[in-house]
Amino acid sequence: MTLLLWFMHGGAVLGTPAEAWARRQPSLSFDYVPADVLARAEWALKDRRQAMLEEYDLALAWADLHGEPPAVEVEGGDRLVRLGGLGTPLVRDLCLEELAVARSEHVHATRSLLADLLDLRHRLPRLWVAVQGLRVEPWVARKIASLSRRLDRDAVALVDVAVAEAVGLSHGRLLELAEAKIIEADTAARATELADARLLKGAWVTGTRHDAPAGLRDVFARIEAADAVWLDATLQRVADLLATDPDRRATHHPELGPTPTRDELRAAAFGWLARPHDLADLLGLLDTQADDQQQNRQSRQGHRRRAVLFVHLHQSALHGASGVARSTTLGPLLLDQVRHLLRHAHVDLTPVIDLNTGASVNGYEHPEAVKQRTLLRTLVPAFPHATGTEASRVDHDHAVPYDPLGPPGQTGDHNDAPLTRHNHRAKTHLGYQVRQLAPGTYLWTTPRGLHRLVNHTGTHHLTDDDLDLIRRIHAA
């Protein structure tokens, strides 16, 4: 039996789903050239943000119209309530239903919207200006308002200043910055949150074989984030050892065959956790030649996990103020969490890295010191709108292509653009142009002529006047 659905609008039949869908398609012509499509994409982004802003203005107007107490107060009747955080105006509780009907949504969604918007207008005014200027995604601003609602007005003002100055960051990085500032503003609340979360830890194995494919079981764990990082690293280390040792694989895992996948190797590595003595032997932790206690201790220290830690300290931290550490994989961390992360690791103390210095070499490969300084400046790949999670997997590309017959000193801090492999391939094969204006600052031109400035504060659109000024300053 074939079921046909017909669309109705105002009592009129609109036709079959296919016909209705065809009418909804954008009026793009095959005559459009790529530059036109990109221009329309930019306009569509602004139009969408503008439409959202109009919705927000109407919602706020509705709240303003219902900010006075009801003429008559009765038990269970209308009353003034605070939807947002401290410092936001009160709103009539029962006004929400009618606005929800107009917006075709549940009243809880309307309540959440008004709470976020009132917070933005009254508690995060700088971020609200950025929303009104179409410089930040509305949903990102709402998320920041929701996350910061528990803070008092003085604390939330610190968050407002920080995020408003960084709206050029990618959405994930901006939210991570906001989270860090919220934690910094109330470290006691964060510590309590972490303590409560520890009660939710556990590890579980599915209780019946019917829950998993034949011969397999599912294992779930909710553990400390620091332990999860080390567990992941250990699994990968064991998987790598198994991948490079076919004889050991044939002995312990004949089912894997000659070309196991990465997932199969990691699953096998997880099974080694059930055999700690075999695992210690595989990792080289058993030293049968060390007879005395001192030799055993030195052997164990030599096999301890190693960690590289870059600490950025504000001057106030040197005088006992609370601080928040940054991690590209774990997000913002309290200093106690950092100590927990490193408690079983061998930590080397290294000299402070001065990011105001630079060096150049005559070879093609960027020295490790140069790579290190560059990533500490950029924090993320140098391509527009990059995220922090990609920072550990980059190619260090020459912004100005390396010429083996060119002058000395082509490689260094002045000519280092960290890119993901995908970004690198696009730059190499599609004609992207990038100029490194300073260490950590890059001017990009896409193949179709879009211009973006990328630095530690994010990705910035450039007007013709901006571009002309940059070129004149740098004598382009």
Side-chain angles (χ1 to χ4, degrees):
M1 180 179 67
T2 301
L3 178 64
L4 295 179
L5 297 179
W6 296 82
F7 289 87
M8 301 288 294
H9 179 69
V13 178
L14 297 183
T16 66
E19 292 168 346
W21 176 254
R23 278 191 291 272
R24 292 183 64 245
Q25 300 310 299
S27 57
L28 286 177
S29 167
F30 289 106
D31 295 332
Y32 273 100
V33 297
D36 293 334
V37 175
L38 292 174
R40 286 192 61 148
E42 290 188 313
W43 299 338
L45 173 68
K46 293 179 181 178
D47 289 345
R48 175 173 57 78
R49 291 181 179 178
Q50 183 63 50
M52 292 294 296
L53 182 60
E54 291 173 5
E55 286 193 47
Y56 290 178
D57 287 339
L58 291 171
L60 285 170
W62 186 258
D64 293 339
L65 289 171
H66 296 83
E68 298 296 328
V72 178
E73 295 189 17
V74 296
E75 184 177 354
D78 208 357
R79 59 193 176 93
L80 289 176
V81 296
R82 191 182 307 280
L83 302 177
L86 292 176
T88 58
L90 303 179
V91 179
R92 296 259 288 271
D93 185 26
L94 300 185
C95 78
L96 301 176
E97 268 75 5
E98 194 168 10
L99 180 59
V101 171
R103 290 179 51 82
S104 299
E105 64 186 12
H106 194 281
V107 66
H108 290 170
T110 301
R111 179 182 293 272
S112 176
L113 172 69
L114 286 180
D116 294 341
L117 297 182
L118 290 170
D119 274 2
L120 283 169
R121 190 173 69 177
H122 296 276
R123 289 163 50 88
L124 299 160
R126 293 174 178 83
L127 181 57
W128 178 235
V129 168
V131 173
Q132 293 175 308
L134 311 182
R135 295 186 294 119
V136 63
E137 279 291 341
W139 71 265
V140 174
R142 284 191 59 186
K143 181 69 172 178
I144 294 172
S146 177
L147 289 172
S148 61
R149 185 157 299 136
R150 61 178 171 79
L151 299 179
D152 61 36
R153 296 193 68 174
D154 291 337
V156 80
L158 301 177
V159 177
D160 187 33
V161 171
V163 298
E165 292 177 350
V167 292
L169 297 178
S170 64
H171 307 330
R173 291 182 64 200
L174 187 60
L175 288 172
E176 185 175 297
L177 172 65
E179 182 185 1
K181 290 300 178 182
I182 291 167
I183 292 173
E184 185 178 339
D186 193 349
T187 56
R190 180 61 171 179
T192 300
E193 183 181 6
L194 293 173
D196 292 341
R198 291 189 181 101
L199 301 177
L200 304 177
K201 293 191 298 184
W204 306 270
V205 179
T206 53
T208 170
R209 65 179 184 275
H210 301 300
D211 294 334
L216 304 180
R217 287 290 181 89
D218 294 323
V219 179
F220 302 92
R222 184 183 294 119
I223 60 178
E224 295 278 356
D227 293 335
V229 170
W230 287 116
L231 175 62
D232 180 65
T234 301
L235 288 178
Q236 192 57 50
R237 182 181 176 190
V238 174
D240 291 341
L241 290 171
L242 293 175
T244 57
D245 192 342
D247 293 336
R248 191 185 297 267
R249 275 206 322 272
T251 301
H252 293 276
H253 301 284
E255 76 283 357
L256 292 180
T259 57
T261 66
R262 179 177 183 271
D263 286 342
E264 289 177 315
L265 288 169
R266 285 175 61 88
F270 191 84
W272 282 71
L273 298 179
R275 306 189 300 276
H277 189 275
D278 290 342
L279 178 60
D281 182 39
L282 176 66
L283 297 177
L285 301 179
L286 298 181
D287 189 351
T288 58
Q289 303 301 319
D291 296 326
D292 58 64
Q293 185 177 6
Q294 179 63 24
Q295 285 179 308
N296 279 318
R297 184 182 301 110
Q298 291 174 349
S299 177
R300 288 193 300 270
Q301 290 176 345
H303 290 291
R304 292 183 73 182
R305 300 171 293 190
R306 304 185 70 86
V308 178
L309 179 68
F310 297 101
V311 180
H312 300 261
L313 289 177
H314 189 274
Q315 181 66 30
S316 60
L318 301 178
H319 299 287
S322 59
V324 176
R326 180 183 65 235
S327 167
T328 56
T329 54
L330 297 177
L333 301 171
L334 294 177
L335 297 186
D336 281 344
Q337 291 178 278
V338 176
R339 284 190 284 269
H340 181 76
L341 176 64
L342 302 175
R343 59 181 176 173
H344 298 305
H346 179 83
V347 180
D348 290 325
L349 297 179
T350 57
V352 172
I353 298 175
D354 186 355
L355 301 185
N356 295 316
T357 62
S360 61
V361 297
N362 295 333
Y364 175 78
E365 293 292 336
H366 287 86
E368 286 302 317
V370 171
K371 295 178 181 179
Q372 203 172 70
R373 284 194 297 268
T374 296
L375 287 177
L376 287 174
R377 293 187 190 103
T378 64
L379 303 180
V380 299
F383 198 80
H385 307 291
T387 66
T389 56
E390 305 167 312
S392 61
R393 306 181 301 275
V394 295
D395 300 332
H396 285 263
D397 182 47
H398 292 78
V400 176
Y402 181 82
D403 181 1
L405 302 179
Q410 297 180 61
T411 300
D413 295 72
H414 66 289
N415 195 21
D416 183 13
L419 301 174
T420 66
R421 181 59 53 84
H422 197 274
N423 298 155
H424 194 176
R425 288 169 50 217
K427 174 182 177 292
T428 300
H429 298 289
L430 296 184
Y432 283 81
Q433 300 294 319
V434 58
R435 183 177 182 192
Q436 186 169 343
L437 304 180
T441 302
Y442 306 87
L443 174 63
W444 283 90
T445 303
T446 73
R448 308 295 177 182
L450 303 180
H451 302 288
R452 299 292 186 268
L453 182 70
V454 177
N455 59 21
H456 69 282
T457 63
T459 301
H460 307 277
H461 291 237
L462 298 175
T463 65
D464 290 340
D465 290 341
D466 295 332
L467 189 61
D468 180 63
L469 178 61
I470 289 173
R471 285 174 171 167
R472 284 191 284 113
I473 290 175
H474 294 274

